[in-house]
Amino acid sequence: MRSFKLLDRLLGRNAEPFVPGAHLSALSSKMEAGQCWIVPEGAVVVPSPPEPKYPEAERIAASIRDFPEDWGWLMKGYKLIHTPSGFVLWVANQDYGLAEVCSNGGKGDFSKVEQAIIWPAVSDWLARNKVGFTGRLPKARIKGRDDAFCCYADGLPWMGVGSSPEDAYRAWRHAISAQARGDMRPNEYLQVRSASL
């Protein structure tokens, strides 16, 4: 829009109907602080949002909140890593505080205000990605023939051996779970082997 048409419209010399907000961008681009401007009647002027005081903290919190799948454990319980960028965040606990982990192993602590911005997003991420203890034993496999059976589970280093599938499972269960050992009979011995051999 040419400037004299804008002035005609602002001064009411033009018969065209004014659409509020339609030409405010042209007007606001010419505005400078400390100058007076005449805004047409009925115009809606919206203040621009304030600049964030802690933009880095707000970007980190927004990333953790909006894209939780981009974050993962670098060191479980202590360090979170933003996988796409390699940014590492120390999150040991809320009392100790949050810090950026530098490439040389040092930490750059965030201020208390920045921590207050980041920590709610971190605690939500931790709650969402927590693997809770269920107390249930993993799914076991039993193999054997005739008078020898063995029981084991993928990822666990112990194998229970017995003369029946029940005996093998019982030996395996007592080997991997201290809670299960509570029902052992006095002077009972179970045959357990390392599955890695």
Side-chain angles (χ1 to χ4, degrees):
M1 170 183 273
R2 293 187 353 218
S3 60
F4 68 88
K5 284 191 175 180
L6 177 61
L7 288 174
D8 285 345
R9 184 165 292 165
L10 291 174
L11 296 174
R13 296 185 195 150
N14 197 342
E16 287 182 37
F18 179 78
V19 179
H23 301 289
L24 286 179
S25 61
L27 179 65
S28 65
S29 66
K30 302 285 185 188
M31 289 180 136
E32 292 179 20
Q35 292 184 346
C36 295
W37 290 89
I38 299 173
V39 180
E41 188 176 329
V44 178
V45 179
V46 180
S48 62
E51 288 293 319
K53 292 182 179 179
Y54 303 96
E56 182 183 12
E58 291 183 16
R59 279 194 304 272
I60 293 168
S63 174
I64 294 171
R65 193 173 36 254
D66 298 339
F67 303 102
E69 65 279 355
D70 286 350
W71 292 83
W73 287 113
L74 178 65
M75 190 164 109
K76 189 158 178 82
Y78 295 95
K79 296 178 186 175
L80 282 179
I81 184 168
H82 183 246
T83 309
S85 68
F87 176 80
V88 179
L89 188 64
W90 175 269
V91 294
N93 59 37
Q94 190 173 8
D95 296 333
Y96 177 81
L98 299 168
E100 176 183 354
V101 179
C102 304
S103 59
N104 64 2
K107 291 192 284 285
D109 293 339
F110 290 105
S111 69
K112 294 294 182 188
V113 177
E114 289 174 318
Q115 290 181 31
I117 294 169
I118 298 170
W119 187 256
V122 169
S123 62
D124 288 346
W125 188 92
L126 294 173
R128 186 180 310 132
N129 293 288
K130 185 183 238 180
V131 177
F133 175 69
T134 62
R136 294 177 54 203
L137 295 174
K139 187 173 181 179
R141 297 175 184 218
I142 299 177
K143 288 187 178 179
R145 50 181 112 93
D146 297 335
D147 61 347
F149 292 89
C150 62
C151 178
Y152 64 95
D154 293 335
L156 295 176
W158 301 107
M159 179 170 56
V161 180
S163 58
S164 69
E166 293 82 15
D167 290 341
Y169 179 76
R170 181 177 169 80
W172 173 79
R173 185 172 64 102
H174 287 120
I176 66 165
S177 172
Q179 189 176 13
R181 285 184 215 125
D183 67 355
M184 285 182 71
R185 295 182 292 273
N187 297 326
E188 180 180 18
Y189 297 98
L190 301 169
Q191 188 174 0
V192 178
R193 295 184 184 161
S194 171
S196 61
L197 295 176

